[in-house]
Amino acid sequence: MSKGKIYLVGAGPGDAELITLKGYELIRRADVILHDHLIPMELLQLAGADAEIISVGKFASQHTMSQDQINALLIEKAADARIVVRLKGGDPFVFGRGGEEVEACAEAGIDFEVVPGVTSALAAPSYAGIPPTHRDFTPNIAIVTGHRKDKKEIEIPNAGTIVFLMGVANIQKIIDSLLKAGWPPQTKIAAVENGTRYNQRVITGTLENFVRTVQDANLGTPAIFIVGKVVGLHEKLNWYGRKPRVLVLGTHPEKYRHLGAIVHRPMVKCVGLEDYSNLDQVLKRLDTFDWLTFTSANGARFFFERLKRNGLDTRALSAMKVAAIGKTTARRLTAFGILADLIPDKESSAGLLEEFSVLEMRDKNVLLPQAEGASRELPEGLAALGAAVKEVPVYMTIEIEPADVDFEHIDKILFTSGSTARAFVKKFGQAPPHVKAYCLGLPTQAAARKYGIDAEIVPQQDNQEAREIE
Ligand code: SAH
């Protein structure tokens, strides 16, 4: 018997946050992940650095691996890995061949568990504002494959709402089968393409003209079709379609959810420095400082990591007062046992300076652990108040290659730091004119302008924390 266990995990329909907590934890702990091409790829970033990640995805035209090969690989991996995650789009048992895969495990005597997922058959209607059941329209729903082995007929079950998966190439056949089964030609039908993803499209029509409609709209995959009276609710309930799509390039995209549907393409990543001799020197004379000021959660994280490396803990900071630029940073500090003495209401360098200006800062020693090359606004402002500022880099941001993004589906871009503006221009050039640029504060606005981007500052009340990383 092999020592490993196979977890067949549903990755959800596309919006990465629709994975279950159980699935999320398993991805983080997995030794090996075998995934399909329909999963939200962001989820793979949760995997540990040592995890082996294998794409076994199937595209309609191009089969990367046969089902037998996938089953064999799963079993092989379970022989010497502890946690093997088989990550599948939506729910693994809804048309995912998940059943066949765990049958192979059972036959090989390998331990397995199934973690259900949010299926696209239900999530795509939700995000299209089409409740598949509704007391006024239908008491039941059927989920049907539009793709049968060996050109078999598509069977139309007796239900008030029918959802078709894997039907894009077969839409003519689906409609013919529906008409043949007695559905009136005026019956409403919707296609939901890229359901729950930022580039979701909903196309509606009636059975009699729908083949033409989807051809004109150039419908692509993945898509589901929804047939029945409930489709009429789309216009009234189209909540997701009405959200602005906001491209966020920095870290912590969850902080900006109130601005719209977040499309996260991180372009920078925080990493440690190669040489910490500067910080190490400072850590030897912590008792000479009056204030320790953190301008980002990352700064706090790297500072405390290094403190520990030097054999020190929070007791070494007992003589200092601590300031945090905003709530996220302050929250991160609590993890190290620090309750910040000062958190400005206006969460920015300017906000911090306002608070400091009413304190007596003359000749006060301020330690400022920041990103390498951070903005000058805070140290200069503190110096102007008479403080002696010791800036010390504790981490740096490096550019990373983001996944592509379809700007046709983007309404706004949020620049969270000057470095995101620089990286954006390098990768994408200027954004198309319909896309509006935003930023969090004056330093980023100035940095963006340097790269030819005219960004408007997001109103403060819309912001939970005004600055993130530099
Ligand atoms: N197990 C998956 C379905 C796998 S079959 C689930 O539960 O969702 C693949 C089909 O799922 C596609 O042909 C398409 O019809 C549908 N599908 C998957 N993701 C989708 C998405 N984001 N939007 C629309 N349809 C999707």
Side-chain angles (χ1 to χ4, degrees):
M1 179 104 176
S2 65
K3 61 174 182 171
K5 186 161 176 176
I6 295 176
Y7 293 87
L8 186 63
V9 176
D15 178 342
E17 288 185 309
L18 292 177
I19 188 157
T20 61
L21 279 179
K22 201 165 184 173
Y24 177 94
E25 267 313 309
L26 282 164
I27 295 172
R28 285 159 54 109
R29 289 169 44 217
D31 300 306
V32 182
I33 299 175
L34 288 93
H35 69 88
D36 285 350
H37 81 284
L38 270 183
I39 63 153
M41 292 299 164
E42 302 97 293
L43 291 175
L44 297 175
Q45 284 162 15
L46 299 170
D50 298 330
E52 184 185 4
I53 297 178
I54 307 169
S55 165
V56 295
K58 286 203 197 72
F59 292 87
S61 54
Q62 173 200 348
H63 282 233
T64 316
M65 246 187 226
S66 73
Q67 192 60 52
D68 286 344
Q69 281 172 318
I70 294 174
N71 297 355
L73 188 61
L74 264 176
I75 288 157
E76 182 195 315
K77 289 296 171 191
D80 51 24
R82 232 167 26 86
I83 299 181
V84 179
V85 166
R86 172 70 176 109
L87 194 57
K88 298 174 79 75
D91 181 274
F93 276 1
V94 177
F95 301 133
R97 301 206 190 168
E100 294 167 43
E101 291 179 17
V102 289
E103 264 183 83
C105 296
E107 282 156 21
I110 293 173
D111 220 5
F112 67 87
E113 279 188 30
V114 183
V115 181
V118 175
T119 177
S120 63
L122 298 175
S126 286
Y127 274 49
I130 301 174
T133 70
H134 190 295
R135 281 198 306 173
D136 294 342
F137 303 111
T138 169
N140 51 29
I141 160 186
I143 300 173
V144 175
T145 172
H147 180 88
R148 297 299 310 271
K149 269 186 184 170
D150 316 321
K151 299 213 167 88
K152 277 194 203 140
E153 273 298 300
I154 294 167
E155 287 160 34
I156 304 296
N158 204 356
T161 303
I162 305 184
V163 176
F164 292 92
L165 274 69
M166 297 183 284
V168 173
N170 272 345
I171 181 64
Q172 179 77 63
K173 202 161 151 192
I174 290 171
I175 287 177
D176 290 346
S177 307
L178 283 163
L179 294 172
K180 212 163 117 194
W183 286 72
Q186 295 77 32
T187 303
K188 291 191 162 75
I189 176 168
V192 185
E193 178 194 82
N194 287 314
T196 79
R197 299 178 181 167
Y198 77 98
N199 52 352
Q200 168 176 300
R201 281 201 302 164
V202 182
I203 298 152
T204 55
T206 52
L207 293 184
E208 57 194 342
N209 61 19
F210 203 59
V211 172
R212 183 69 197 275
T213 307
V214 295
Q215 268 167 4
D216 289 349
N218 209 1
L219 180 73
T221 58
I224 62 155
F225 298 112
I226 312 165
V227 181
K229 293 199 181 97
V230 289
V231 171
L233 291 164
H234 162 69
E235 240 166 75
K236 186 169 165 194
L237 305 180
N238 181 24
W239 63 275
Y240 186 65
R242 291 194 196 108
K243 273 184 167 221
R245 305 305 203 247
V246 186
L247 180 62
V248 174
L249 307 159
T251 49
H252 306 295
E254 66 285 351
K255 290 199 311 201
Y256 310 108
R257 208 175 275 145
H258 57 292
L259 298 176
I262 300 301
V263 183
H264 188 212
R265 293 288 183 275
M267 304 202 76
V268 289
K269 173 167 121 180
C270 302
V271 294
L273 305 177
E274 266 169 32
D275 179 8
Y276 272 108
S277 49
N278 239 331
L279 177 61
D280 291 347
Q281 285 305 319
V282 169
L283 294 180
K284 288 199 180 81
R285 53 178 188 93
L286 284 171
D287 54 346
T288 62
F289 292 98
D290 304 293
W291 278 95
L292 174 58
T293 299
F294 289 102
T295 55
S296 71
N298 282 312
R301 173 161 69 91
F302 283 100
F303 178 86
F304 280 97
E305 242 168 58
R306 198 65 204 170
L307 192 70
K308 194 164 141 200
R309 281 277 178 91
N310 278 264
L312 295 169
D313 62 21
T314 43
R315 287 171 295 177
L317 311 174
S318 59
M320 283 187 262
K321 286 194 175 272
V322 177
I325 197 163
K327 292 190 200 72
T328 308
T329 304
R331 205 173 308 122
R332 180 62 73 93
L333 286 171
T334 61
F336 305 109
I338 301 280
L339 294 179
D341 301 285
L342 189 159
I343 313 165
D345 284 336
K346 194 163 130 198
E347 304 193 334
S348 61
S349 294
L352 263 179
L353 285 170
E354 265 174 38
E355 297 281 337
F356 277 127
S357 70
V358 296
L359 302 174
E360 183 44 72
M361 293 305 286
R362 187 154 298 282
D363 297 329
K364 290 282 190 296
N365 287 303
V366 181
L367 177 56
L368 197 55
Q370 278 183 303
E372 210 171 63
S375 132
R376 313 284 321 134
E377 189 186 1
L378 187 57
E380 280 170 6
L382 280 166
L385 295 173
V389 185
K390 175 68 186 167
E391 292 170 71
V392 54
V394 293
Y395 69 99
M396 59 183 180
T397 54
I398 56 168
E399 288 175 17
I400 51 175
E401 185 62 22
D404 280 342
V405 51
D406 184 351
F407 282 98
E408 237 182 75
H409 293 274
I410 298 293
D411 302 301
K412 302 176 181 177
I413 306 182
L414 180 68
F415 295 101
T416 49
S417 65
S419 56
T420 58
R422 186 184 59 223
F424 177 85
V425 170
K426 206 165 121 191
K427 164 81 185 169
F428 298 109
Q430 294 299 327
H434 74 272
V435 181
K436 249 186 106 38
Y438 290 86
C439 64
L440 298 175
L442 286 169
T444 305
Q445 190 179 46
R449 198 164 292 140
K450 233 171 59 192
Y451 301 106
I453 300 166
D454 210 2
E456 193 177 302
I457 296 178
V458 177
Q460 183 73 41
Q461 68 270 24
D462 280 356
N463 249 333
Q464 284 151 23
E465 173 151 335
R467 207 167 81 159
E468 190 178 314
I469 50 168
E470 280 300 329

